[in-house]
Amino acid sequence: MTVICRFAPSPTGRLHVGNVRTALMNWLFVRERGGKFILRIDDTDLERSTNEYEDGIKEDLGWLGLNWDHSFNQSHKFPAYEAAAKTLREAGRLYACYETSDELDRQRKLLRVQSKPPIYNRAALELTEAQIKAYEDEGRKPHWRFKLSGKTVHWNDMVRGEQSVDTSSLSDPVLIRGDGSFLYTLPSVVDDIDEKITHVIRGEDHVTNSGAQIEIFEALSDHLPVFAHTPLLVWKDGSPLSKRLGSLSMGELKEQGFEPLAICSLLAKIGTSDPIEVRPSMEVLKDEFSFDKIGRAPARFSDDELLLLNGRLLHETSYETVKDHLESLNVGGGEAFWNLIRANISKVSDTAGWSTVLFAPMPGQIEDEDKAFCISAANCLPDKITDETWSEWTGKLKAEQGRKGKSLFMPLRRALTGRDRGPEMGGLLVLLGAEKAKARLRGETA
Ligand code: GLU
């Protein structure tokens, strides 16, 4: 059996970490099995969907490396949804309702006062021809509800195990609005049937939809995908992500300098039994992915963790890989500079600061009590600097000046870089060169 999955975003905003995690799980699952990954653009809401957002979604997925085999728009498929609605109507599973939203509100309030669940009372099923005509004469347009069976729907969820939804505890869902537009529920099922989707992988906010959707699948075909509902993503302190989604959009994370593989590594690992580590490639993430590893608790997203993984990824990244990025930031210094600096950065853009330290004129920073020591150090620094110079030089200074540890190394680091922490000094000294190093050790600007 070929595995076929789909990611179905609505083009009403940029992708954020929550929906990227869903896309990623679909992608990892499909690619591991040599299956097909379909991008479905859920743009039935013509007012809120835009081409810009659709393009943005495609750009973000491409940037992340989540390639798809084919994509389509729901807005091009209205005839198929109309046909499905006709089938359901003919089977007595889709019925017209004329209540206004105010009337429905009032009904719900009344039920609540009586401590009853706010389930739609199916009054529309009892309407006489005359009542229907009266509503239509008033100008009311019907909305259409799917008639649930009232039975309990069962499925075996790949993440949640045995699931059941008692459809008698649900209101019959509205599938078509009064203006004739389709809500998400029916088009999604029609497309999952048409595309022969084998696995529906999505967030657990869709668990209740699955009860109704399984009944719609059964009413329209003999095709039924397997479901996997993944726990929601929450902020690191357990609060909902909703308020932060703007700053957690792919556009924003890209702008902030996060690497796609760091984002995918974090999103593939949080909420699973695997350690949270950056992985060297999407291939590796794919090989390690399994629904068995996904826990039931919400997955916590942490920006600190993302920054950490981003840094770890860069520590292992070759010059070839970042060359263009460095050039776009106007950071020179070539491969030797990158190899020296990569262990000390969290983002590629952090190289700019180190490039200034190494290559721009800067006065040596020296405390009064270290001045004489630094001048001696300048005097005994050889003119030709090699990979061994740092250890030979500091060994000599240690013997001659009686300094060791921090009091030996810190004044040198500060004089040469102006910072207390940074890359390995041996390599840094080579890049800096004898002339610049000596000048800075004497407190001059070089
Ligand atoms: N457009 C829906 C959403 O983003 C798709 C849900 C589904 O995967 O069925 O929530």
Side-chain angles (χ1 to χ4, degrees):
M1 176 187 78
T2 309
V3 164
I4 307 176
C5 293
R6 83 306 194 268
F7 172 54
S10 304
T12 53
R14 277 305 272 265
L15 291 184
H16 54 70
V17 289
N19 34 43
V20 166
R21 183 160 164 266
T22 301
L24 180 64
M25 293 203 172
N26 275 284
W27 189 91
L28 294 169
F29 182 74
V30 164
R31 295 294 179 233
E32 172 63 4
R33 284 160 184 76
K36 257 173 54 181
F37 180 52
I38 295 172
L39 173 62
R40 185 180 91 197
I41 302 292
D42 281 7
D43 55 354
T44 51
D45 184 343
L46 297 173
E47 266 171 26
R48 290 176 57 226
S49 302
T50 72
N51 289 337
E52 284 72 28
Y53 283 133
E54 180 179 332
D55 293 346
I57 287 169
K58 290 178 174 167
E59 190 189 313
D60 291 342
L61 290 175
W63 178 67
L64 291 161
L66 304 178
N67 60 331
W68 57 93
D69 297 292
H70 87 95
S71 80
F72 69 95
N73 291 56
Q74 288 197 319
S75 60
H76 299 170
K77 291 200 56 186
F78 289 126
Y81 310 145
E82 296 290 0
K86 183 164 177 276
T87 306
L88 294 178
R89 251 180 231 120
E90 284 168 4
R93 299 297 295 273
L94 191 66
Y95 60 98
C97 304
Y98 290 86
E99 296 89 346
T100 62
S101 48
D102 280 349
E103 285 165 357
L104 290 170
D105 257 359
R106 246 176 284 134
Q107 279 179 22
R108 275 192 293 265
K109 277 192 195 123
L110 200 67
L111 289 168
R112 231 171 279 136
V113 172
Q114 299 166 348
S115 302
K116 290 189 184 150
I119 299 171
Y120 175 61
N121 61 15
R122 291 186 166 168
L125 286 175
E126 313 297 327
L127 292 176
T128 61
E129 301 246 326
Q131 284 169 312
I132 292 175
K133 186 172 180 313
Y135 280 138
E136 303 226 321
D137 289 347
E138 242 178 66
R140 289 200 196 193
K141 296 265 179 280
H143 54 276
W144 296 81
R145 287 186 190 261
F146 177 71
K147 193 170 165 214
L148 293 165
S149 68
K151 294 184 195 144
T152 299
V153 172
H154 299 272
W155 77 94
N156 191 0
D157 196 286
M158 279 200 290
V159 178
R160 300 165 62 88
E162 281 301 328
Q163 295 293 294
S164 55
V165 170
D166 173 7
T167 63
S168 71
S169 69
L170 303 175
S171 292
D172 288 339
V174 177
L175 300 189
I176 306 172
R177 296 187 188 87
D179 64 3
S181 64
F182 288 91
L183 281 105
Y184 141 83
T185 319
L186 177 64
S188 181
V189 173
V190 170
D191 290 332
D192 288 345
I193 295 170
D194 282 359
E195 301 289 327
K196 302 186 177 57
I197 299 298
T198 57
H199 298 76
V200 168
I201 302 166
R202 57 189 179 186
E204 68 182 16
D205 48 334
H206 286 291
V207 168
T208 39
N209 286 340
S210 297
Q213 285 187 327
I214 288 173
E215 291 211 331
I216 301 175
F217 273 107
E218 287 168 352
L220 290 176
S221 77
D222 50 14
H223 176 83
L224 187 64
V226 175
F227 290 87
H229 290 96
T230 57
L232 294 186
L233 203 57
V234 294
W235 187 239
K236 54 190 171 187
D237 62 4
S239 63
L241 270 191
S242 45
K243 274 179 257 120
R244 301 172 201 270
L245 287 180
S247 62
L248 296 173
S249 72
M250 287 309 111
E252 191 62 32
L253 294 181
K254 184 177 180 185
E255 183 75 29
Q256 286 174 24
F258 288 104
E259 303 293 324
L261 194 53
I263 298 173
C264 289
S265 293
L266 182 64
L267 292 176
K269 297 298 175 192
I270 47 176
T272 75
S273 52
D274 279 344
I276 296 174
E277 277 170 2
V278 72
R279 307 309 284 140
S281 66
M282 294 297 277
E283 279 301 295
V284 174
L285 283 178
K286 183 194 88 181
D287 293 344
E288 292 175 350
F289 179 77
S290 161
F291 278 108
D292 297 339
K293 296 181 180 174
I294 298 179
R296 290 287 301 272
R300 291 175 182 240
F301 179 87
S302 156
D303 49 347
D304 312 317
E305 223 154 30
L306 180 59
L307 191 63
L308 205 75
L309 294 197
N310 208 65
R312 291 209 188 121
L313 176 68
L314 294 178
H315 304 172
E316 308 293 326
T317 299
S318 73
Y319 177 64
E320 268 315 299
T321 312
V322 287
K323 196 165 167 257
D324 292 346
H325 193 170
L326 291 175
E327 273 166 18
S328 75
L329 296 170
N330 271 327
V331 171
E335 187 163 2
F337 169 74
W338 172 253
N339 289 344
L340 175 72
I341 244 63
R342 64 183 175 178
N344 289 84
I345 55 171
S346 302
K347 293 176 178 174
V348 174
S349 56
D350 297 342
T351 50
W354 283 110
S355 154
T356 307
V357 165
L358 276 154
F359 307 122
M362 189 189 79
Q365 285 182 29
I366 307 166
E367 304 287 328
D368 282 347
E369 69 265 24
D370 294 324
K371 276 190 174 150
F373 167 67
C374 285
I375 287 175
S376 314
N379 290 341
C380 72
L381 183 67
D383 288 328
K384 189 172 168 350
I385 301 206
T386 66
D387 289 342
E388 280 73 48
T389 304
W390 172 260
S391 67
E392 290 167 5
W393 179 51
T394 52
K396 198 163 163 214
L397 285 172
K398 185 176 173 184
E400 284 177 6
Q401 305 283 326
R403 289 191 181 223
K404 58 179 184 182
K406 208 173 164 196
S407 73
L408 169 68
F409 297 116
M410 194 52 94
L412 300 177
R413 180 179 281 284
R414 266 196 208 132
L416 295 177
T417 70
R419 301 190 186 186
D420 287 353
R421 263 181 297 278
E424 178 267 313
M425 288 301 290
L428 189 135
L429 193 59
V430 173
L431 274 184
L432 210 54
E435 204 182 319
K436 226 178 171 72
K438 285 185 189 197
R440 287 187 183 178
L441 286 162
R442 294 188 178 117
E444 296 158 12
T445 296

